[in-house]
Amino acid sequence: MTDYSKRSFDDGVAAFQKLAGAKSIPEAIEIQTTFAKQAYEEYMQQMAKIGTMYQSFAKDAFKPVERTFKGSR
């Protein structure tokens, strides 16, 4: 999560710098659109990773309960 946060911040700074150097409104809109698409895609990838991690934690946490029920049969 720390790496994602750092990358996200760095990408935001880079986009702002590009935006500050834009020579026209269409160029500025393109820079913003590109940044927004990239930020959204990276965010969704990060959330998928976190979802997978929580799913794994839940499975691991449930294992002792599952063994208890299987052993009582």
Side-chain angles (χ1 to χ4, degrees):
M1 197 64 174
T2 304
D3 290 340
Y4 167 74
S5 296
K6 183 178 179 337
R7 273 193 328 269
S8 180
F9 179 78
D10 291 344
D11 290 347
V13 170
F16 181 77
Q17 289 172 340
K18 285 181 186 177
L19 195 57
K23 305 227 187 289
S24 66
I25 291 179
E27 183 182 358
I29 291 171
E30 184 177 340
I31 291 167
Q32 285 181 316
T33 302
T34 301
F35 172 72
K37 285 179 183 178
Q38 180 183 359
Y40 176 77
E41 288 172 4
E42 289 181 14
Y43 175 78
M44 293 308 292
Q45 287 175 355
Q46 188 67 22
M47 290 305 106
K49 287 180 187 178
I50 290 172
T52 301
M53 182 179 69
Y54 280 128
Q55 184 180 21
S56 177
F57 287 156
K59 284 180 182 178
D60 290 345
F62 188 70
K63 284 180 183 179
V65 175
E66 185 179 18
R67 276 187 244 127
T68 300
F69 282 110
K70 285 184 179 179
S72 65
R73 289 183 178 182

